[in-house]
Amino acid sequence: MGLKRLLAAGLTAFVISGIPEITTKKAEVLTPEQMSARKILENTAVNQVVMFGEVHNDYRRDNDFVISILPTLKKQGYEYLALEFPRDVSKVPENEEYLKIFADYIDGKITRFQIPPQDYFEIYRHAAGWLEMVDAARLLGIKIVRYDDKINESDDVVKMPRINSVRENNAFKNLQDLIFRDKSEAKVIVYCGALHICEEPNNLLGTEITWLGTYLNLYTLGKNFSVAFAQNKGIYIP
């Protein structure tokens, strides 16, 4: 056998023997949302409460992002979705009557087909994507609670966006009553406006506020994980 044929035969045997050829692996490319989800889920795995600080009203992207990671949160043991939504809707203003219909939907008392068209419009105008979030949580077996408290007018109220420490404390008390009193170590997803997730008291427009996030961080002994959403960026900041 000539030298060239011998080398060729040897090379063939080398490849056939099962030793893989050297290849260049393509680097994984992640979108900002995927990178954010990965980082967030690493942290939620080792915490008891995760607070998502969203942008209210007709902004939809935040809601869709949370819906996309709900299945993993469920696998991590999160069993409650707590919505910044009035616990007591019996005395809502006339221009917010749609909240009563939405509360019935959240509580599973009515179906979408039973939501009057005008109320359906108002729900989407004020909370785009929340119907879908409720549906997704319900399908996963995640319990949904409404924890927000109406605010009493007083000197320490920040008029816009109608926040004071009393409202924040009452919201925490509602979560205690609805969840933690019976299950002190329950893992909870809190979905609320971004201001409420602050884990330390601070000053808002001249008024000192102790936030819901402050109470939850103290209650969980530091196992509250707050995530602020950066609007229109697709990036979520722990």
Side-chain angles (χ1 to χ4, degrees):
M1 184 182 292
L3 180 58
K4 288 184 179 179
R5 293 183 64 187
L6 180 63
L7 287 173
L11 181 59
T12 302
F14 182 77
V15 174
I16 293 174
S17 67
I19 299 176
E21 297 181 51
I22 298 174
T23 59
T24 303
K25 186 177 180 181
K26 190 175 181 180
E28 184 180 18
V29 179
L30 301 176
T31 65
E33 286 92 343
Q34 289 170 326
M35 289 187 289
S36 298
R38 179 177 291 184
K39 183 65 176 177
I40 288 167
L41 292 169
E42 287 174 2
N43 283 276
T44 55
V46 295
N47 282 285
Q48 181 181 352
V49 174
V50 56
M51 300 187 77
F52 291 109
E54 53 99 25
V55 179
H56 280 338
N57 299 328
D58 61 355
Y59 188 70
R60 178 67 184 267
R61 195 172 186 176
D62 298 344
N63 308 303
D64 290 339
F65 176 82
V66 173
I67 289 170
S68 74
I69 63 174
L70 277 180
T72 303
L73 291 170
K74 171 66 174 178
K75 289 177 183 177
Q76 290 180 348
Y78 286 85
E79 52 186 320
Y80 288 92
L81 172 63
L83 296 174
E84 184 195 339
F85 191 96
R87 183 179 181 184
D88 179 6
V89 293
S90 63
K91 297 180 180 179
V92 297
E94 287 186 11
N95 64 337
E96 295 180 358
E97 283 287 315
Y98 72 91
L99 291 175
K100 295 180 179 179
I101 297 293
F102 196 9
D104 284 343
Y105 186 77
I106 291 171
D107 297 345
K109 295 178 180 179
I110 60 173
T111 68
R112 285 207 194 198
F113 298 107
Q114 294 172 297
I115 300 176
Q118 183 58 36
D119 292 317
Y120 203 93
F121 170 78
E122 290 296 329
I123 290 169
Y124 262 90
R125 188 164 72 91
H126 292 282
W130 279 43
L131 288 169
E132 287 76 11
M133 184 180 299
V134 168
D135 292 344
R138 189 173 288 140
L139 283 172
L140 290 166
I142 296 174
K143 303 176 186 69
I144 306 166
V145 299
R146 301 180 281 112
Y147 72 82
D148 200 17
D149 189 71
K150 64 180 184 296
I151 194 166
N152 294 316
E153 297 295 340
S154 65
D155 292 336
D156 66 342
V157 172
V158 177
K159 300 300 182 183
M160 290 296 292
R162 295 179 59 78
I163 289 174
N164 67 359
S165 290
V166 175
R167 177 185 172 193
E168 300 296 299
N169 183 249
N170 286 344
F172 174 64
K173 289 178 179 178
N174 284 338
L175 287 176
Q176 283 185 305
D177 187 40
L178 293 165
I179 300 173
F180 297 123
R181 196 175 311 283
D182 293 329
K183 302 191 74 172
S184 61
E185 297 184 0
K187 300 190 77 169
V188 181
I189 305 158
V190 178
Y191 197 69
C192 60
L195 285 171
H196 304 286
I197 73 172
C198 298
E199 294 180 355
E200 295 182 0
N202 58 32
N203 189 287
L204 177 66
L205 301 178
T207 299
E208 191 71 18
I209 308 287
T210 300
W211 302 95
L212 176 59
T214 314
Y215 292 110
L216 286 171
N217 199 47
L218 289 169
Y219 174 78
T220 60
L221 301 178
K223 288 192 173 184
N224 179 80
F225 181 62
S226 292
V227 182
F229 288 177
Q231 187 175 16
N232 294 323
K233 301 295 184 182
I235 299 172
Y236 307 106
I237 307 167

